[in-house]
Amino acid sequence: MNPLRDILRAAPDSSGRWLNDPAGTVPLAEIAAATCLGTDAAVLAGRSVVLVTGRQRAAVMALVALDGLVRRLVLVPPDIATDRLGTILADATADAIVTDRDPAAFAGFGVPVLEITWESHAVPEARHSAHDTEWVLLTSGTTGPPKLVVHSREGLTGAIAPPRPGDAPPVWGTFYDIRRYGGLQILFRALLGTGSLVLADAAEPVADHLARLGAQGVTHLSGTPSQWRRALMSPAIGRIAPRYVRLSGEIADQAVLDALRRAFPDAAIGHAYASTEAGVGFEVTDGREGFPAALVHGSGPVAMKVVDGSLRLRSTRTATRYVKGGMALADADGFVDSGDMVEQRGDRFFFAGRRGGIVNVGGLKVHPEEVEAAINRHDAVRMSLVRARPSPITGAIVVADVVLADGAGTDEAALKRDIVAFCRGALPPHKVPAQIRFVPALAMAPTGKIARHG
């Protein structure tokens, strides 16, 4: 498989494509023509390399420089604590660190450190791919320490369809970080297609990011439902007019799908199912939450089954293994257990929540996400977070933090009563929140998902 650099250099239209971040715009042709690692790049040939960068642009430059050169490439998200890095280096049998940070910060790890620079070190016209580089991603770590998951680039890009003749070159944007699975998918769509890419920045205010997306003419934009809800709350949402909107990473409930349809009436809106281990499973484009049961019971490139309520997937897009031995990624038949619980109602499956996130209320199970979906359907609600609070009688009760929509009103007591009554009409009694608290915002995890604690 040709490395990314050679693909970009061979693309006939690469001169008109670009990468944008808060620092400015750089042509993709310039990234393909020069290496950010100088003459030191050759020493990394066939090595296991851990990429630790602050800026996403630096990560893109390094990925283009290292694909096909190194044996293993580990992408470290920016939120990983320094005390975790030693374990990652050991698990990956790392030979070097590549970074845009001060190399002195990694002096105690006992491996060489190469610094990313933006200098014009020319790359030979022809460079043979000596290695089919392993791409190693970290799981989100929501249920324990992050795991190192091995993918091939072929598997990572297996769900990407070639551009259709005559289509205008897209301008991709994503709220994700490209060092995580969801963001990397969008990066590949830009690099391997005909488009350009607008990168996010964790420190950039939402309104500024939306304004920059609008200024760059974004046409295809992706993010988690939580990221989209936060964007919809910003007055700057009117600065963008994407023709394709994509959600993934969390359950896309009907409330957020309907809100996006109102905001972007002319856009194609889809929610995709994917995970770091299982890869891209499917996309739903009918405007409804959940997914057709035919996807499980039918045939296609991705085989799916439901075992004890948990969705399992098998395809060429799934990861090959965990880096650390002793942990099975798939069962004997090659299916990856996603840990996402689903329920079939009629001809459709609906996501209930994560297997490890169940709240026990008097011996009855409650998926917080199911309650959130009900609360979010209330006209006065923008988003919510449901959690458990200890109770001496039932073991736990359901409580909810709620962000109100603009214009919801100021009578908080009346609003709380109305939301509870709304939930009683949609949920069994044990799932109805016993307490509602109004909050100005909900915390977001670095993964782009709503932050859940404990």
Short mmCIF file of all heavy atoms in Angstrom, two decimals, residues 415-454:
data_model
loop_
_atom_site.label_atom_id
_atom_site.label_comp_id
_atom_site.label_asym_id
_atom_site.label_seq_id
_atom_site.Cartn_x
_atom_site.Cartn_y
_atom_site.Cartn_z
N LEU A 415 -40.91 24.59 35.50
CA LEU A 415 -40.20 23.84 34.46
C LEU A 415 -39.82 22.44 34.96
O LEU A 415 -39.97 21.45 34.23
CB LEU A 415 -38.94 24.60 34.03
CG LEU A 415 -39.15 25.78 33.07
CD1 LEU A 415 -37.88 26.59 32.94
CD2 LEU A 415 -39.59 25.26 31.70
N LYS A 416 -39.34 22.35 36.18
CA LYS A 416 -38.97 21.04 36.74
C LYS A 416 -40.19 20.13 36.81
O LYS A 416 -40.12 18.95 36.45
CB LYS A 416 -38.34 21.21 38.12
CG LYS A 416 -36.95 21.83 38.09
CD LYS A 416 -36.39 22.01 39.50
CE LYS A 416 -35.01 22.66 39.45
NZ LYS A 416 -34.44 22.86 40.80
N ARG A 417 -41.31 20.67 37.28
CA ARG A 417 -42.53 19.85 37.36
C ARG A 417 -42.95 19.39 35.96
O ARG A 417 -43.36 18.23 35.78
CB ARG A 417 -43.66 20.66 38.00
CG ARG A 417 -43.49 20.90 39.51
CD ARG A 417 -44.80 21.39 40.13
NE ARG A 417 -45.24 22.66 39.56
CZ ARG A 417 -44.88 23.86 40.03
NH1 ARG A 417 -44.09 23.96 41.08
NH2 ARG A 417 -45.34 24.98 39.46
N ASP A 418 -42.83 20.27 34.99
CA ASP A 418 -43.26 19.93 33.63
C ASP A 418 -42.36 18.87 33.01
O ASP A 418 -42.83 17.96 32.32
CB ASP A 418 -43.27 21.20 32.77
CG ASP A 418 -44.05 21.01 31.49
OD1 ASP A 418 -45.19 20.50 31.57
OD2 ASP A 418 -43.53 21.33 30.42
N ILE A 419 -41.05 18.96 33.25
CA ILE A 419 -40.11 17.97 32.71
C ILE A 419 -40.35 16.61 33.35
O ILE A 419 -40.34 15.57 32.68
CB ILE A 419 -38.65 18.44 32.89
CG1 ILE A 419 -38.38 19.67 32.02
CG2 ILE A 419 -37.67 17.32 32.54
CD1 ILE A 419 -37.06 20.35 32.30
N VAL A 420 -40.57 16.59 34.67
CA VAL A 420 -40.85 15.33 35.36
C VAL A 420 -42.15 14.71 34.82
O VAL A 420 -42.23 13.50 34.56
CB VAL A 420 -40.92 15.54 36.88
CG1 VAL A 420 -41.47 14.29 37.57
CG2 VAL A 420 -39.54 15.88 37.43
N ALA A 421 -43.18 15.53 34.65
CA ALA A 421 -44.45 15.02 34.12
C ALA A 421 -44.26 14.49 32.70
O ALA A 421 -44.85 13.45 32.33
CB ALA A 421 -45.49 16.14 34.12
N PHE A 422 -43.44 15.17 31.91
CA PHE A 422 -43.13 14.73 30.55
C PHE A 422 -42.46 13.35 30.59
O PHE A 422 -42.80 12.46 29.80
CB PHE A 422 -42.22 15.76 29.88
CG PHE A 422 -41.91 15.48 28.45
CD1 PHE A 422 -42.80 15.82 27.45
CD2 PHE A 422 -40.72 14.88 28.09
CE1 PHE A 422 -42.51 15.57 26.11
CE2 PHE A 422 -40.41 14.62 26.77
CZ PHE A 422 -41.31 14.97 25.77
N CYS A 423 -41.52 13.17 31.52
CA CYS A 423 -40.82 11.88 31.64
C CYS A 423 -41.78 10.77 32.10
O CYS A 423 -41.65 9.62 31.67
CB CYS A 423 -39.66 12.00 32.62
SG CYS A 423 -38.28 12.99 31.99
N ARG A 424 -42.71 11.10 32.97
CA ARG A 424 -43.66 10.09 33.44
C ARG A 424 -44.52 9.56 32.29
O ARG A 424 -44.97 8.42 32.32
CB ARG A 424 -44.56 10.68 34.53
CG ARG A 424 -43.86 10.86 35.86
CD ARG A 424 -44.82 11.30 36.95
NE ARG A 424 -44.12 11.45 38.22
CZ ARG A 424 -44.21 12.51 39.02
NH1 ARG A 424 -45.00 13.53 38.67
NH2 ARG A 424 -43.56 12.56 40.16
N GLY A 425 -44.72 10.39 31.29
CA GLY A 425 -45.49 9.94 30.14
C GLY A 425 -44.68 9.13 29.15
O GLY A 425 -45.25 8.54 28.23
N ALA A 426 -43.36 9.09 29.34
CA ALA A 426 -42.50 8.40 28.38
C ALA A 426 -41.70 7.26 28.97
O ALA A 426 -41.17 6.43 28.23
CB ALA A 426 -41.52 9.42 27.76
N LEU A 427 -41.62 7.16 30.31
CA LEU A 427 -40.75 6.21 30.96
C LEU A 427 -41.47 5.46 32.07
O LEU A 427 -42.42 5.99 32.67
CB LEU A 427 -39.53 6.93 31.56
CG LEU A 427 -38.58 7.66 30.62
CD1 LEU A 427 -37.64 8.56 31.42
CD2 LEU A 427 -37.79 6.68 29.76
N PRO A 428 -41.01 4.23 32.39
CA PRO A 428 -41.53 3.54 33.58
C PRO A 428 -41.19 4.34 34.84
O PRO A 428 -40.21 5.11 34.85
CB PRO A 428 -40.78 2.20 33.56
CG PRO A 428 -40.30 2.03 32.16
CD PRO A 428 -40.04 3.41 31.64
N PRO A 429 -41.94 4.16 35.92
CA PRO A 429 -41.74 4.99 37.12
C PRO A 429 -40.32 4.98 37.67
O PRO A 429 -39.83 6.02 38.13
CB PRO A 429 -42.73 4.38 38.12
CG PRO A 429 -43.81 3.78 37.26
CD PRO A 429 -43.11 3.27 36.04
N HIS A 430 -39.64 3.82 37.65
CA HIS A 430 -38.30 3.76 38.26
C HIS A 430 -37.25 4.51 37.45
O HIS A 430 -36.15 4.77 37.94
CB HIS A 430 -37.87 2.30 38.46
CG HIS A 430 -37.63 1.54 37.19
ND1 HIS A 430 -38.66 1.03 36.43
CD2 HIS A 430 -36.49 1.21 36.55
CE1 HIS A 430 -38.17 0.41 35.38
NE2 HIS A 430 -36.86 0.50 35.43
N LYS A 431 -37.57 4.90 36.20
CA LYS A 431 -36.63 5.64 35.37
C LYS A 431 -36.86 7.15 35.41
O LYS A 431 -36.04 7.91 34.89
CB LYS A 431 -36.71 5.14 33.92
CG LYS A 431 -36.32 3.68 33.75
CD LYS A 431 -36.38 3.25 32.29
CE LYS A 431 -35.98 1.78 32.15
NZ LYS A 431 -36.02 1.31 30.75
N VAL A 432 -37.95 7.57 36.00
CA VAL A 432 -38.26 9.01 36.05
C VAL A 432 -37.33 9.70 37.05
O VAL A 432 -37.16 9.23 38.18
CB VAL A 432 -39.73 9.23 36.45
CG1 VAL A 432 -40.03 10.71 36.63
CG2 VAL A 432 -40.66 8.61 35.40
N PRO A 433 -36.68 10.80 36.67
CA PRO A 433 -35.76 11.47 37.59
C PRO A 433 -36.45 11.90 38.88
O PRO A 433 -37.54 12.47 38.86
CB PRO A 433 -35.29 12.69 36.80
CG PRO A 433 -35.51 12.34 35.37
CD PRO A 433 -36.71 11.46 35.35
N ALA A 434 -35.80 11.59 40.00
CA ALA A 434 -36.33 12.03 41.30
C ALA A 434 -35.92 13.46 41.60
O ALA A 434 -36.52 14.11 42.46
CB ALA A 434 -35.80 11.09 42.40
N GLN A 435 -34.89 13.94 40.91
CA GLN A 435 -34.42 15.31 41.14
C GLN A 435 -33.88 15.86 39.83
O GLN A 435 -33.19 15.15 39.07
CB GLN A 435 -33.33 15.34 42.20
CG GLN A 435 -32.79 16.73 42.48
CD GLN A 435 -31.64 16.69 43.50
OE1 GLN A 435 -31.25 15.64 43.97
NE2 GLN A 435 -31.13 17.86 43.83
N ILE A 436 -34.18 17.11 39.55
CA ILE A 436 -33.66 17.80 38.38
C ILE A 436 -32.97 19.07 38.84
O ILE A 436 -33.49 19.82 39.67
CB ILE A 436 -34.79 18.13 37.38
CG1 ILE A 436 -35.27 16.84 36.70
CG2 ILE A 436 -34.32 19.13 36.33
CD1 ILE A 436 -36.43 17.05 35.75
N ARG A 437 -31.80 19.29 38.29
CA ARG A 437 -31.04 20.50 38.59
C ARG A 437 -30.71 21.20 37.28
O ARG A 437 -30.22 20.56 36.34
CB ARG A 437 -29.75 20.15 39.34
CG ARG A 437 -28.90 21.35 39.72
CD ARG A 437 -27.65 20.93 40.45
NE ARG A 437 -26.73 20.16 39.60
CZ ARG A 437 -25.43 20.00 39.85
NH1 ARG A 437 -24.91 20.51 40.96
NH2 ARG A 437 -24.68 19.29 39.05
N PHE A 438 -30.98 22.48 37.19
CA PHE A 438 -30.64 23.24 36.00
C PHE A 438 -29.21 23.76 36.11
O PHE A 438 -28.81 24.31 37.14
CB PHE A 438 -31.61 24.40 35.79
CG PHE A 438 -33.03 23.96 35.51
CD1 PHE A 438 -34.10 24.58 36.12
CD2 PHE A 438 -33.29 22.91 34.65
CE1 PHE A 438 -35.40 24.18 35.86
CE2 PHE A 438 -34.58 22.49 34.39
CZ PHE A 438 -35.64 23.13 35.00
N VAL A 439 -28.43 23.56 35.05
CA VAL A 439 -27.03 23.97 35.03
C VAL A 439 -26.79 24.76 33.74
O VAL A 439 -27.48 24.56 32.73
CB VAL A 439 -26.08 22.76 35.09
CG1 VAL A 439 -26.23 22.02 36.41
CG2 VAL A 439 -26.32 21.80 33.93
N PRO A 440 -25.81 25.67 33.75
CA PRO A 440 -25.55 26.46 32.53
C PRO A 440 -24.89 25.67 31.42
O PRO A 440 -25.03 26.01 30.25
CB PRO A 440 -24.63 27.58 33.04
CG PRO A 440 -23.99 27.02 34.27
CD PRO A 440 -25.01 26.12 34.90
N ALA A 441 -24.14 24.62 31.78
CA ALA A 441 -23.44 23.82 30.78
C ALA A 441 -23.09 22.47 31.39
O ALA A 441 -23.09 22.32 32.62
CB ALA A 441 -22.18 24.53 30.30
N LEU A 442 -22.78 21.51 30.53
CA LEU A 442 -22.33 20.20 30.97
C LEU A 442 -20.89 20.00 30.54
O LEU A 442 -20.49 20.43 29.45
CB LEU A 442 -23.21 19.09 30.37
CG LEU A 442 -24.66 19.07 30.86
CD1 LEU A 442 -25.46 18.05 30.06
CD2 LEU A 442 -24.73 18.76 32.34
N ALA A 443 -20.12 19.37 31.40
CA ALA A 443 -18.70 19.14 31.10
C ALA A 443 -18.56 18.16 29.94
O ALA A 443 -19.33 17.20 29.82
CB ALA A 443 -17.97 18.62 32.33
N MET A 444 -17.56 18.43 29.10
CA MET A 444 -17.26 17.55 27.97
C MET A 444 -15.94 16.86 28.23
O MET A 444 -14.96 17.47 28.67
CB MET A 444 -17.16 18.37 26.69
CG MET A 444 -18.44 19.10 26.34
SD MET A 444 -19.57 18.07 25.41
CE MET A 444 -18.75 18.06 23.84
N ALA A 445 -15.88 15.56 27.95
CA ALA A 445 -14.63 14.82 28.04
C ALA A 445 -13.75 15.16 26.83
O ALA A 445 -14.24 15.63 25.81
CB ALA A 445 -14.91 13.32 28.08
N PRO A 446 -12.44 14.93 26.91
CA PRO A 446 -11.56 15.20 25.76
C PRO A 446 -11.94 14.43 24.51
O PRO A 446 -11.58 14.81 23.41
CB PRO A 446 -10.18 14.78 26.28
CG PRO A 446 -10.27 14.89 27.76
CD PRO A 446 -11.67 14.51 28.11
N THR A 447 -12.69 13.33 24.67
CA THR A 447 -13.13 12.54 23.52
C THR A 447 -14.25 13.22 22.75
O THR A 447 -14.64 12.75 21.68
CB THR A 447 -13.64 11.17 23.99
OG1 THR A 447 -14.69 11.37 24.95
CG2 THR A 447 -12.52 10.38 24.64
N GLY A 448 -14.80 14.31 23.29
CA GLY A 448 -15.93 14.97 22.66
C GLY A 448 -17.27 14.48 23.16
O GLY A 448 -18.32 14.98 22.75
N LYS A 449 -17.24 13.52 24.05
CA LYS A 449 -18.48 12.98 24.62
C LYS A 449 -18.80 13.71 25.91
O LYS A 449 -17.93 14.32 26.54
CB LYS A 449 -18.32 11.47 24.89
CG LYS A 449 -17.94 10.67 23.66
CD LYS A 449 -17.70 9.20 24.02
CE LYS A 449 -17.20 8.42 22.82
NZ LYS A 449 -16.98 6.98 23.14
N ILE A 450 -20.04 13.60 26.32
CA ILE A 450 -20.43 14.17 27.60
C ILE A 450 -19.67 13.48 28.72
O ILE A 450 -19.44 12.27 28.66
CB ILE A 450 -21.96 14.04 27.80
CG1 ILE A 450 -22.45 14.95 28.92
CG2 ILE A 450 -22.37 12.62 28.02
CD1 ILE A 450 -23.96 15.06 28.95
N ALA A 451 -19.17 14.21 29.69
CA ALA A 451 -18.35 13.64 30.77
C ALA A 451 -19.24 12.97 31.80
O ALA A 451 -20.08 13.61 32.42
CB ALA A 451 -17.50 14.73 31.42
N ARG A 452 -19.03 11.67 31.97
CA ARG A 452 -19.80 10.91 32.95
C ARG A 452 -18.85 10.52 34.08
O ARG A 452 -17.75 10.04 33.83
CB ARG A 452 -20.41 9.66 32.32
CG ARG A 452 -21.36 10.00 31.17
CD ARG A 452 -22.04 8.76 30.61
NE ARG A 452 -22.84 9.11 29.46
CZ ARG A 452 -24.09 9.56 29.52
NH1 ARG A 452 -24.68 9.68 30.71
NH2 ARG A 452 -24.75 9.89 28.42
N HIS A 453 -19.29 10.68 35.30
CA HIS A 453 -18.43 10.43 36.46
C HIS A 453 -19.02 9.32 37.32
O HIS A 453 -20.20 9.33 37.64
CB HIS A 453 -18.30 11.69 37.31
CG HIS A 453 -17.81 12.88 36.54
ND1 HIS A 453 -16.52 13.00 36.09
CD2 HIS A 453 -18.48 13.98 36.10
CE1 HIS A 453 -16.39 14.15 35.44
NE2 HIS A 453 -17.56 14.75 35.42
N GLY A 454 -18.13 8.36 37.66
CA GLY A 454 -18.47 7.35 38.62
C GLY A 454 -19.55 6.38 38.23
O GLY A 454 -20.40 6.58 37.45
#
